[in-house]
Amino acid sequence: MSDAQGRPTQPDISAAGAPPATFSGDRGLALEEASIFALSRAGVTGVDLPEPKGVAPRLAGLERKGAIGLPGLSEPEVVRHFVRLSRRNYAIDLGVFPLGSCTMKHNPRLNEKMARLPGFADLHPLQPVSTVQGALGLIDSLAHWLKVLTGLPVIAMSPKAGAHGELCGMMAIRAAIDARGERRRRVLVPASAHGTNPATAAQCGFEVDEIAGDATGRVSAASVAERLGPDVAGIMLTNPNTCGLFEREVREIAARVHEAGGYFYCDGANFNALVGRVRPGDLGVDAMHINLHKTFSTPHGGGGPGAGPVAFSEALAPFAPRPWVVHGAAGFALVEAEGDAKGAKPFGRLTAFHGQMGMFVRALAYMMSHGGDGLRQVAEDAVLNANYVMACLKDAMSVPFAGPCMHEALFDDAFLEGTGVATLDFAKALIDEGYHPMTVYFPLVVHGAMLVEPTETESKESLDRFIASMRGLALAAKAGDAARFKGAPFYAPRRRLDETQAARKPVLVAAEASPRAAAE
Ligand SMILES: *Cc1c(COP(=O)(O)O)cnc(C)c1O
């Protein structure tokens, strides 16, 4: 068979019927892989070390008696196992990762190279500070960049994720309120907030008071003012918000909250839309976490814990947690112990050590390689790319809020009405197109939400390919081709899993039987 230009075309498998079940369980180059424990064979090992002779145990009888149950495989089997698993993973190094609110941008290789320098990678957190002056200097430089970019005077470096940063910020707010001898326990949280916001507030002993957005998808100063009172500890506001929209009344909201004696916690997960353009300190923010794995390009997971430093205003600065880096006559030092710093009333500490060094190195490498002007362009290009996606898809899909967006484009499921296709089906069909789906059903304030965040690291060419898939799917749904959605994904290693069961009754023990037997 050939097309109009005479190029050979693929045979149409669907026309020929279902592809044959293979004897191996593999499908072409899509290889099945059992759990490493199912593959294990007794007595097999990848190392050959002589039994140590004449070494008396020094554990005073506490040494282990039995085997610890490590799987037995040869080295090539172990290598194949993990390479096979890695081929089933979708990654930012593989394709567009349009997961809204997550800022899945490229992780520059320069960052990785810097993080692997032995002077950073081989440090131990208990080394004497005289031997880690360079590392402390790096933490100090990173904090300096974050202070300049946020316009806030103090940064707590130790929190290890955005949600952990929220905890840090809200604990500081709680400490500040306690120090005033007040009992303010109500925290205002918009309905569009990320689930971690109300969860954090509740975790810190606050009562969550939800504020509805207005018809434009934003929070109005009037609706905030209505709820303020002497029992309000503050507000947790995301800007731009999770609908991808700038909160236009943010300064007035901050002023009202401050007048009422409360604090302004800003969820800084969407800082990618503002970095280099807007300083949150100028908007009246008292505390804001910064997800280094979002705005500053460090990897999301995979390499251990992340980092979510928190910026504080003068009002909250005294309550920032230990430790922090100071610079004195003898070089850099760490404030670690209670009473080490005059005037400070830290609420305690959040982590055993000083934060996530590998992520600090990567984030600073990113900042220094972009420079101030480059970081500003990051925000501009991120916003431009999201608006390009929205403009190209607006006529085929439907948008809940009119006007341009910030760094992410929000769609709802109105365009799917009457097609028999739901947002979930649409997301599954996108897997068949070779993409990780966008964020779905979030924010909760929009029916059947689809939140697309392309980030600035996608080229126009890759965006055009992604848009073509989205557009093709939208038109297919409207044309009545529900079958391609209801059965999707057709081309994934597994089809539709029972996600409710998986969440409610997770099977955390590797099954004895090989997944080949249990497949689908
Ligand atoms: C990602 C995100 C968080 C939580 O950050 P983690 O680093 O995943 O803990 C909080 N709020 C918003 C809006 C986010 O997008």
Side-chain angles (χ1 to χ4, degrees), residues 259-318:
E259 274 165 30
Y263 297 98
F264 177 5
Y265 184 89
C266 180
D267 180 328
N270 293 339
F271 196 36
N272 208 47
L274 306 181
V275 63
R277 294 281 317 210
V278 175
R279 298 187 308 171
D282 298 341
L283 304 180
V285 169
D286 291 302
M288 181 180 105
H289 73 259
I290 300 150
N291 310 61
L292 295 188
H293 50 286
K294 293 182 181 171
T295 311
F296 298 107
S297 84
T298 70
H300 291 237
V310 177
F312 286 113
S313 66
E314 293 290 355
L316 290 180

Side-chain angles (χ1 to χ4, degrees), residues 35-56:
S35 96
I36 198 162
F37 293 97
L39 297 172
S40 164
R41 298 186 312 283
V44 177
T45 173
V47 291
D48 180 14
L49 293 175
E51 277 300 320
K53 285 199 195 81
V55 183

Side-chain angles (χ1 to χ4, degrees), residues 101 161-163 166 194 196 242 267 269 291 293-294:
S101 211
E166 288 175 35
H194 194 266
T196 50
T242 61
D267 180 328
N291 310 61
H293 50 286
K294 293 182 181 171

Side-chain angles (χ1 to χ4, degrees), residues 27 32-33 88 489 492-497 515-516 519-520:
R27 276 175 290 174
E32 277 297 330
E33 188 61 2
R88 306 200 137 199
R494 292 291 178 274
R495 303 280 298 279
R496 288 228 191 172
L497 304 176
R516 281 166 205 246
E520 287 165 74

